[in-house]
Amino acid sequence: MHTGTSDPRTGDRVDIAAIYEATWPRLRRIAAGLTLAAADAEDALHDAYVVLLQRGPTACSGMSATDTERWLVRVLVNRCLLLHRRRGRWRRWLARSAGWWRSGRTVTGESGCEASEARQVTRAALENLPEDERVCVVLRHFCELDSAEIAALLEIPAGTVRSRLRRGRLALAEPLLAKGLVDHGA
Amino acid sequence: MAPETCDLIAERLVDYADRELSPAEAAGVAEHVAACPACRRRLAALRQSLAAAQGVWQSVADEVRPTGPTTASRRRSARRWLPRVGVAVTAAATLLFAVARFGRTPETAPVKPVAMTAAQVEREIQDAGAAQAMLLVGDQLAETPGGRPYAEARFYYITEHYPATSAAAEARARLAALTERG
């Protein structure tokens, strides 16, 4: 990654390399959590950083580091949701065409036999979680952001974040209850 | 325990699991949970599903490689272009078949058999598609402020890895033009 570019209007310097270094760890987790597939996460990250390279000098000029990261996270979240939607359509088509899809596939990072049933059930619940709830759950429980930070990031009220988190968490827990997979020692 | 109470407490149970309740509210929920097996089970499910979700997310995150604009585009481009390449391969095969079957007249000289396997033809078409896609990305980056080093890297990559494609010839011309521009 090279060092930086300037805003053509103001001449302010935007250090792309520094932004990349500062945002990469968090953005990687967001992309992984939202896409649930490493290849899609890499695509979404690539696209987000290309947008940074193309529009960063103008869009991020004069922004604080926090605001720049928020801007980039919003770009990434939109990209991840788009990829997840596309992949969902493709998967649904496959599921209709071939009944073996669900039962025969292996999941990213783990073979079907290695993954516990609870984990597989939870993964399926994550795939089916509504987008707004999935974003909040990932940002809160995988990126360690609190409700106020998520609210600022997504530009929605903190109360909305809390209610999405509640709905999302209950939706993740329900399949375990329904299938009797709850470990009472948990 | 009345079911209404459990329904009312279900959402607060999430806040309780996340330790987001005030001490007084948390004490109220804890008291209910201690007396209610259904809510105890739900609380366990909330904790267990979160741990499982974090395991899933982490396993995906561990597989994500560092990716800047310079590292991911080839794989990404190839994945996006492969379906189109498949169509192109089918079209090319159909065309070859049509030419071989119907294109020869008695007056024309016999067509020399082409010394290429179907796999080689497919590979050439794939290379041409990938090189062309990379060329387009290079062009886009060349127009982007600060994108010139990335564009040049792509053009060099095309000339080195796909030297026989028309995109390689165009990439050489782009590099020459960029060098002239200084």
Side-chain angles (χ1 to χ4, degrees):
Chain A
M1 187 66 75
H2 75 142
T3 52
T5 56
S6 299
D7 181 358
R9 298 167 309 174
T10 63
D12 289 349
R13 191 164 181 75
V14 176
D15 194 337
I16 301 287
I19 295 173
Y20 177 83
E21 292 298 327
T23 56
W24 164 253
R26 176 168 284 170
L27 262 56
R28 182 182 69 133
R29 292 171 80 82
I30 293 173
L34 290 181
T35 61
L36 297 175
D40 286 348
E42 286 170 14
D43 281 357
L45 285 160
H46 171 269
D47 288 349
Y49 284 117
V50 166
V51 171
L52 172 68
L53 196 63
Q54 289 175 335
R55 291 196 226 144
T58 307
C60 303
S61 173
M63 271 190 193
S64 66
T66 310
D67 286 342
T68 301
E69 182 170 0
R70 282 179 185 165
W71 173 80
L72 198 52
V73 167
R74 279 195 287 270
V75 171
L76 178 67
V77 166
N78 288 335
R79 193 66 209 160
C80 289
L81 295 180
L82 185 67
L83 283 173
H84 194 269
R85 259 177 247 149
R86 280 187 191 156
R87 196 159 56 100
R89 280 199 290 272
W90 172 238
R91 186 169 289 171
R92 281 192 293 276
W93 180 83
L94 271 179
R96 278 199 300 273
S97 308
W100 49 263
W101 172 250
R102 276 276 168 204
S103 57
R105 78 196 173 100
T106 56
V107 295
T108 305
E110 56 196 355
S111 69
C113 57
E114 283 169 351
S116 70
E117 194 177 354
R119 193 154 155 172
Q120 286 179 325
V121 167
T122 303
R123 186 188 168 92
L126 282 169
E127 295 265 11
N128 294 324
L129 216 53
E131 283 178 2
D132 52 0
E133 292 168 21
R134 194 165 63 242
V135 172
C136 290
V137 169
V138 167
L139 292 176
R140 173 70 184 85
H141 294 291
F142 192 44
C143 300
E144 313 297 339
L145 297 178
D146 63 30
S147 302
E149 288 172 313
I150 298 170
L153 193 65
L154 302 178
E155 296 175 329
I156 54 176
T160 306
V161 173
R162 283 304 315 161
S163 61
R164 287 179 185 178
L165 282 171
R166 288 188 199 109
R167 284 200 305 270
R169 290 290 310 281
L170 288 171
L172 287 182
E174 280 311 318
L176 292 185
L177 285 168
K179 289 179 187 290
L181 293 171
V182 180
D183 172 11
H184 292 279
Chain B
M1 193 61 56
E4 292 80 18
T5 312
C6 293
D7 286 343
L8 284 174
I9 217 157
E11 291 201 340
R12 287 168 65 203
L13 213 51
V14 177
D15 292 337
Y16 177 75
D18 292 350
R19 295 189 172 84
E20 299 218 2
L21 293 179
S22 67
E25 287 176 313
V29 174
E31 191 182 342
H32 173 91
V33 167
C36 177
C39 286
R40 223 168 23 246
R41 213 164 34 246
R42 174 162 280 143
L43 181 63
L46 282 167
R47 288 175 173 155
Q48 198 178 329
S49 62
L50 181 61
Q54 285 168 333
V56 171
W57 292 328
Q58 191 60 55
S59 70
V60 177
D62 288 343
E63 286 188 14
V64 177
R65 295 166 298 174
T67 177
T70 51
T71 53
S73 69
R74 181 164 186 264
R75 186 186 53 74
R76 170 175 164 270
S77 299
R79 289 205 308 143
R80 285 192 181 170
W81 278 84
L82 275 179
R84 297 174 204 184
V85 167
V87 173
V89 169
T90 310
T94 308
L95 190 64
L96 281 174
F97 175 78
V99 168
R101 175 72 181 81
F102 304 110
R104 221 171 72 185
T105 62
E107 291 78 28
T108 55
V111 177
K112 275 189 177 180
V114 181
M116 284 179 81
T117 64
Q120 286 170 320
V121 172
E122 186 179 341
R123 176 65 191 267
E124 286 211 354
I125 293 172
Q126 279 184 353
D127 283 356
Q132 195 63 40
M134 203 173 295
L135 189 71
L136 289 173
V137 174
D139 285 344
Q140 200 181 4
L141 286 168
E143 297 301 318
T144 304
R148 181 175 162 172
Y150 303 104
E152 284 178 340
R154 273 175 177 72
F155 295 147
Y156 278 121
Y157 191 92
I158 295 168
T159 59
E160 284 170 15
H161 290 81
Y162 307 107
T165 61
S166 60
E170 291 184 46
R172 283 185 209 101
R174 304 273 204 288
L175 282 169
L178 286 172
T179 309
E180 269 181 32
R181 213 185 296 169

